Amino acid sequence: MRLPGRPAALICTLLMLVVPVLAITYGWMDGNRHPNVGVWGIRADGEVQQLCSGTLISPTVFLTAGHCAYYVEQVLGTNRAEVTFDATFSQSAAFHAGTIHVHPNFSSIRGPDPADIAVIVFDEPVVGITPAALPPVGFLDQKFREEKLKNHLFTAAGYGAMAQFQHGAPGFAASADRRYVVSEFLALTGGWLHVSENPATDNGGTCYGDSGGPTFFGAGADETPYVVATTSKGDSMYRASDVRYRVDTPTAHEFLAQYVTLP
């Protein structure tokens, strides 16, 4: 497809105005720590324009955010996407082409369970990368009942802009690198996992550039391969709570079961 003018700037501006595309704040360079985490976009004027993040969950399926995919389909007018798992996004990266599928019940990112989930199904299997694992239905609910979520840490990964704070207000610096960050549990509600992104308590979070990236259960030596949520939205100052869409709900599982084998 061809977009008029400067497509990269146009897409970035439209996404920032219309959908909460998010990225890592207060995080670290990922390197090859999470090789199954990738970044995707659409091809315009011969180049792939970086949009959102996601996770390989089978050799042919890439998990991402519904609001990113819905916007690309409905506003930009295409269901085709390209994904790279290189640690740094560039036009020379190895790209994998695929087709976007958005949860049919997606409507907005508000409400108790907005079905903010989508997948990209690749034309050809991705080789040489071990997919992440998905949790069973109610995984986080069970952990909550067992009182195992209090003070529990989660690891998020993704690509995108870095938040920069001047005089207490957030600004953003463009980046194409994969980063990761650790956040502490706050609450569990409906389709949402709430975690802290307060730097005063050694927590990090997400900000512009990284919607759809995974949240892994655990951190450091205790990090697991389970993707329990995807990046969705946060507070406007990026210093309090970070809200991620759960993938262990019946809504998510009913959709994902069409594309992958679930536990």
Side-chain angles (χ1 to χ4, degrees), residues 6-31:
R6 297 173 60 190
L10 174 64
I11 292 172
C12 180
T13 300
L14 289 174
L15 285 170
M16 290 177 68
L17 289 173
V18 180
V19 298
V21 184
L22 305 174
I24 298 301
T25 61
Y26 310 111
W28 302 274
M29 294 291 286
D30 188 83

Side-chain angles (χ1 to χ4, degrees), residues 188-213:
L188 197 65
T189 60
W192 302 110
L193 169 66
H194 303 253
V195 297
S196 173
E197 60 176 343
N198 185 353
T201 55
D202 295 326
N203 287 288
T206 55
C207 164
Y208 286 103
D210 174 49
S211 280

Side-chain angles (χ1 to χ4, degrees), residues 16-195:
M16 290 177 68
L17 289 173
V18 180
V19 298
V21 184
L22 305 174
I24 298 301
T25 61
Y26 310 111
W28 302 274
M29 294 291 286
D30 188 83
N32 200 41
R33 189 183 185 94
H34 300 98
N36 49 26
V37 177
V39 58
W40 68 276
I42 61 173
R43 189 171 290 276
D45 290 345
E47 294 188 344
V48 177
Q49 310 301 331
Q50 179 182 348
L51 295 177
C52 294
S53 298
T55 319
L56 189 70
I57 56 173
S58 89
T60 56
V61 180
F62 183 77
L63 173 68
T64 191
H67 64 266
C68 288
Y70 181 86
Y71 182 78
V72 167
E73 281 192 339
Q74 299 300 315
V75 179
L76 300 184
T78 180
N79 68 348
R80 296 291 291 171
E82 298 195 36
V83 178
T84 182
F85 297 94
D86 286 11
T88 299
F89 176 88
S90 71
Q91 295 305 315
S92 61
F95 288 103
H96 306 268
T99 301
I100 296 169
H101 300 271
V102 185
H103 195 297
N105 294 334
F106 172 79
S107 58
S108 73
I109 63 164
R110 295 181 174 87
D113 190 345
D116 189 14
I117 193 170
V119 295
I120 297 169
V121 178
F122 295 121
D123 299 341
E124 301 290 340
V126 174
V127 297
I129 299 175
T130 301
L134 293 173
V137 169
F139 176 82
L140 291 175
D141 297 300
Q142 181 65 33
K143 296 296 182 183
F144 183 80
R145 288 191 295 269
E146 295 172 352
E147 299 185 354
K148 293 182 178 179
L149 292 184
K150 184 178 181 180
N151 302 320
H152 191 79
L153 298 178
F154 296 85
T155 302
Y159 300 70
M162 290 292 292
Q164 296 180 329
F165 292 86
Q166 295 182 350
H167 308 294
F172 307 97
S175 173
D177 297 311
R178 185 169 60 218
R179 291 180 169 85
Y180 75 99
V181 72
V182 174
S183 307
E184 186 177 356
F185 174 78
L186 286 180
L188 197 65
T189 60
W192 302 110
L193 169 66
H194 303 253
V195 297

